[in-house]
Amino acid sequence: MKMNAKNMLSMLAAAAAVVSLSTVSVQAQDTTAPRTVVGERYVPTIWVDPDGCEHWVMDDGAEGYMTPHVLPNGKPVCRRGNLCGVMETDQFFATDKHYISAAGKSRLQEFFNSNKGNVRSFVIAGHTDSRASDEYNIRLSQRRANAVAGVAKSVGARIADIRAYGERDPRVPNTSASNMAQNRRVEIYCLR
């Protein structure tokens, strides 16, 4: 039998068909066989971090997975600490600003110094009313909370977390000017 190009091609095609059929049968055998893995019993739980926020946890003792527990609007689920101070932002910040006046800094320094000895750390949470976009309000509340945290750090107070809620956690509905004023605030939580 002479080997010419036509015979060679037909033999290669037959060999390729045999190999592909055997691969398919091996794959079919692998997917039908039961798979037993030892040591992957995950136990779901909730872990609460030092500042009171919840995290969903799946752990098997060696490895695990953790993700923050958040509401549908993206707000973290945090157990409220002891609310030890609320700054009405109209008294400390000009409209659309995040700079604290000298008098405001002095009042905040006095507050943090008086609580520093009996508080392990502080959580600072910034809030706004709903007059601007959600994105803008988140950024403004973050800048204001950072400004308050900066004053706290300047007197040696430990800050556990800085949060920005923008307009997402109003104290009262944003239906009037007086209600909006109540929602413009920075809250200070004391963790003992």
Side-chain angles (χ1 to χ4, degrees), residues 60-79:
D60 70 349
E63 289 184 2
Y65 173 77
M66 181 169 66
T67 185
H69 180 193
V70 295
L71 298 175
N73 66 1
K75 181 179 167 188
V77 175
C78 299
R79 299 175 184 184

Side-chain angles (χ1 to χ4, degrees), residues 113-136:
N113 279 326
S114 68
N115 285 293
K116 196 168 46 171
N118 57 2
V119 173
R120 182 171 40 97
S121 61
F122 297 92
V123 174
I124 312 296
H127 302 268
T128 65
D129 60 29
S130 61
R131 285 187 294 175
S133 71
D134 182 57
E135 182 180 329
Y136 178 83

